[in-house]
Amino acid sequence: MEGTSGPVALVTGGGIRVGRAIALGLAEDGYNLVVNYRTSAAGAAEVAEAAGDLGRRVHTVRADLSREDDAVRLASAANEQFGRLDLLVNSAASFVAGDLLEVAVEEWDAVMAVNLRAPFLMVRETAELLRAAHGSIVNIVDLSALQPWTSHPVHSVAKAGLLHLTRVMARRLAPEVRVNAIAPGAVLLPAHYSEADAERVRDRVPLGRIGTPGDVVEAVRFLARAEYVTGEVIVVDGGVRLGGVGGG
């Protein structure tokens, strides 16, 4: 075990998309990093290089979080590499579409394993380190945790479960560890979206723009330092949940 004087964050799914932005944002804020990836080795290496250029120590870990032994091994990395953990961000997720009545049991179990069971395992395995640091946990859900997405039924149920698990964790780990969630809206559109698709998304946003991963990073930063906030969810959607755009 190596000790370190700077704060340490562990980010699951930290090599791509929103997880990557969170990892880089935390490096900018002075955090040393444990960056998890499953298939995005190149992305994780880029994060490590960029964070290293900022003077941060970074340890990347390939782990399939649908496997308990991989999750346990990842959770151990912070202790083995740094001897501490100040912030855990559960960002890794599986985003699978389908019809509820056609979902196979194997598909259901696979999504639940990554989206719900893995965050539980990560918290269970890092709780003592987080307690010692009086650290915090941020679980990344999305609007499907708050709305019934029939196009992604298993994902939606898993994220709703993670949101409630956030509250259970907050009660169980208080007062030493705070646990909160972030529910992003459209902050990173699918690569196959056309400009017309993007315009349709933009038209639904009261604030008049599609979000960015940086908007989520700002919410993570707030929750990491908000010492009197626990068991809460911050919705980062530009007001989409308010309903139709316009007055009346």
Side-chain angles (χ1 to χ4, degrees), residues 11-246:
V11 182
T12 69
I16 57 172
R17 295 180 67 82
V18 173
R20 172 192 178 99
I22 292 170
L24 290 172
L26 292 173
E28 291 171 359
D29 291 349
Y31 283 84
N32 300 299
L33 299 173
V34 178
V35 176
N36 156 248
Y37 68 95
R38 185 174 67 89
T39 59
S40 54
E46 290 170 359
V47 170
E49 181 178 3
D53 289 343
L54 295 171
R56 312 296 172 242
R57 289 178 53 202
V58 184
H59 181 63
T60 62
V61 181
R62 184 188 182 282
D64 178 353
L65 297 184
S66 69
R67 298 172 51 90
E68 181 180 8
D69 54 348
D70 272 23
V72 171
R73 177 170 55 82
L74 170 61
S76 299
N79 191 38
E80 294 168 355
Q81 296 295 320
F82 297 103
R84 66 181 294 171
L85 183 62
D86 301 83
L87 176 62
L88 168 64
V89 181
N90 284 308
S91 180
S94 169
F95 190 65
V96 179
D99 184 280
L100 176 63
L101 302 183
E102 296 177 359
V103 175
V105 169
E106 294 78 11
E107 293 175 292
W108 179 279
D109 290 346
V111 173
M112 289 291 175
V114 174
N115 289 9
L116 183 55
R117 189 180 69 189
F120 152 70
L121 290 171
M122 294 303 301
V123 171
R124 185 188 73 183
E125 297 298 317
T126 60
E128 290 309 310
L129 279 180
L130 289 164
R131 280 180 172 135
H134 285 259
S136 67
I137 298 163
V138 177
N139 294 321
I140 306 300
V141 296
D142 56 38
L143 294 184
S144 73
L146 304 163
Q147 303 167 334
W149 285 10
T150 56
S151 61
H152 295 74
V154 189
H155 174 89
S156 186
V157 171
K159 289 296 189 179
L162 180 55
L163 179 54
H164 194 66
L165 181 60
T166 297
R167 299 173 180 127
V168 173
M169 289 172 174
R171 289 288 299 272
R172 178 63 179 85
L173 297 178
E176 296 92 352
V177 180
R178 296 178 298 103
V179 189
N180 294 287
I182 296 171
V187 297
L188 196 60
L189 297 181
H192 66 272
Y193 268 35
S194 66
E195 181 52 40
D197 293 327
E199 187 64 28
R200 282 193 293 273
V201 173
R202 192 178 298 113
D203 287 345
R204 296 198 298 269
V205 182
L207 291 186
R209 71 171 176 87
I210 294 171
T212 71
D215 294 315
V216 180
V217 173
E218 289 305 310
V220 172
R221 285 172 165 150
F222 167 75
L223 290 174
R225 65 175 183 266
E227 296 184 355
Y228 205 55
V229 179
T230 195
E232 293 297 329
V233 56
I234 295 179
V235 179
V236 183
D237 72 347
V240 169
R241 280 208 309 151
L242 297 174
V245 178

